[in-house]
Amino acid sequence: MFGVDLHTHTYISDGTLSPEQLVQAALDLKIHTLALTDHDTMDGLSRAQIYAQDCAQDQDIQIISGVEISSQWSRPNTQKSYGVHIVALNMQNQAPMQTMLEQQKKVRAERAQAICALLEKCISFDIYPEVLAQVEGQPDRVTRTHIAKALVEKKIVSRPQQAFDRFLKEGKKAFVKFDGLGLKETIEVIHASGGFAVLAHPTRYDLSATNIRYLVELFAELGGDAVELPPNIEPASTRQMVDKMIEQLGLAVSIGSDFHGDNMPWIKLGNIPRVKEGQVGIWERFR
């Protein structure tokens, strides 16, 4: 256990723990630097910070401001755009970020309704009310994970992954692209907020090795600060490829479990990859 986890989620987006429960779980694991990085929202941050202040007692834990932003990028020689997640960390002025996130929430809410409308054509009933019930009636919190869970509860599918495979992932009948902010604009907003831009899980976008390299190079060219190291379950060759790009481009590294809770029990809080000699952790630059 290294004591740093810079990529976690709560039920404010698609996790299962409350912000308070997440902090308590981190305290139990002796994690001293924790970033709450819910999807396109920072609504759980103050709750996590208050709980840490009130309940840490003799344990020190630093709650880092964070958010995982749905963004997109493309190559000049193709019309296709690709989704990418950028984690913003340690923002000193949250005003620019909050302004952008309000627009992202609007896009998320509209996307959820569009997905459910397409699903209705496939399953012959409107599942949107069941989806909304999972997020306390707040449509801007809906993710595809919530929709998949509703499909499981209505016995349309037997498990969440089946919902993605049949309906929700790219190429399926109920897929709707998240029309998020462009990569350049995302990095600019993070920097305007006094934060660091981290390319999240670079090898998990179903991209070819060529496109992964292009994405990392573009991210660095646009001023990105750090790349999240691949989890330990990925092949050694994948880690070697990412390590090489980080070194060549002079980027820092970030480490995070991408913890969600009971809906992804194979991902454990605090289970992060090892930082190799010579790599600079982005957390070393936090104020």
Side-chain angles (χ1 to χ4, degrees):
M1 178 63 62
F2 185 71
V4 175
D5 195 331
L6 300 178
H7 190 163
T8 67
H9 298 275
T10 71
Y11 67 31
I12 301 298
S13 63
D14 59 346
T16 60
L17 300 185
S18 69
E20 295 84 359
Q21 289 170 326
L22 176 66
V23 175
Q24 186 57 58
L27 287 168
D28 293 343
L29 291 169
K30 310 299 183 186
I31 292 172
H32 55 73
T33 305
L34 177 76
L36 196 167
T37 56
D38 279 321
H39 293 281
D40 299 306
T41 179
M42 296 177 67
D43 290 352
L45 177 62
S46 62
R47 288 173 57 179
Q49 291 173 329
I50 290 169
Y51 185 87
Q53 292 168 0
D54 292 346
C55 300
Q57 297 176 357
D58 59 341
Q59 293 177 255
D60 288 330
I61 185 168
Q62 182 182 17
I63 306 299
I64 304 300
S65 60
V67 59
E68 186 170 11
I69 303 166
S70 300
S71 185
Q72 54 188 333
W73 65 282
S74 61
R75 299 190 67 159
N77 59 345
T78 177
Q79 297 296 316
K80 182 176 181 180
S81 63
Y82 301 90
V84 64
H85 287 176
I86 305 299
V87 169
L89 294 174
N90 200 46
M91 285 154 287
Q92 304 302 304
N93 173 17
Q94 294 179 20
M97 179 60 64
Q98 292 289 11
T99 298
M100 184 272 286
L101 290 179
E102 288 305 312
Q103 178 59 33
Q104 292 282 91
K105 288 180 181 181
K106 182 174 182 290
V107 172
R108 184 173 294 282
E110 292 172 348
R111 182 199 192 203
Q113 289 182 300
I115 291 173
C116 290
L118 291 173
L119 273 174
E120 186 173 1
K121 298 177 182 179
C122 300
I123 63 178
S124 302
F125 72 91
D126 182 11
I127 201 167
Y128 188 59
E130 281 78 7
V131 173
L132 275 183
Q134 296 185 39
V135 291
E136 301 172 328
Q138 299 178 45
D140 57 23
R141 285 174 50 188
V142 176
T143 68
R144 286 185 297 170
T145 299
H146 295 114
I147 298 170
K149 184 179 178 183
L151 288 169
V152 172
E153 291 175 351
K154 299 298 288 186
K155 302 190 185 312
I156 304 299
V157 296
S158 58
R159 61 189 190 280
Q161 187 57 50
Q162 191 177 42
F164 281 86
D165 293 340
R166 285 183 58 186
F167 303 113
L168 302 177
K169 71 181 182 181
E170 188 169 2
K172 300 303 177 180
K173 290 184 178 180
F175 174 77
V176 176
K177 181 177 175 291
F178 190 101
D179 191 19
L181 208 63
L183 182 57
K184 179 176 184 291
E185 292 76 19
T186 299
I187 294 171
E188 288 175 348
V189 170
I190 294 170
H191 288 166
S193 303
F196 297 100
V198 176
L199 177 59
H201 39 67
T203 56
R204 284 173 44 196
Y205 299 108
D206 293 325
L207 297 173
S208 66
T210 298
N211 272 343
I212 291 172
R213 284 192 289 269
Y214 185 91
L215 169 60
V216 177
E217 289 171 358
L218 178 63
F219 175 76
E221 179 184 321
L222 294 175
D225 300 293
V227 172
E228 200 171 79
L229 294 175
N232 297 322
I233 59 173
E234 294 202 25
S237 58
T238 299
R239 174 65 191 266
Q240 290 168 2
M241 176 182 70
V242 173
D243 285 340
K244 184 176 181 180
M245 289 187 290
I246 288 169
E247 182 180 7
Q248 289 175 339
L249 297 168
L251 293 164
V253 302
S254 185
I255 49 176
S257 61
D258 199 7
F259 174 78
H260 282 71
D262 294 341
N263 57 345
M264 297 182 186
W266 59 92
I267 300 176
K268 306 298 183 183
L269 183 65
N271 184 14
I272 48 88
R274 182 176 61 86
V275 178
K276 294 189 176 177
E277 185 176 354
Q279 292 181 328
V280 178
I282 194 65
W283 59 93
E284 297 176 30
R285 301 177 181 173
F286 292 169
R287 297 181 191 176

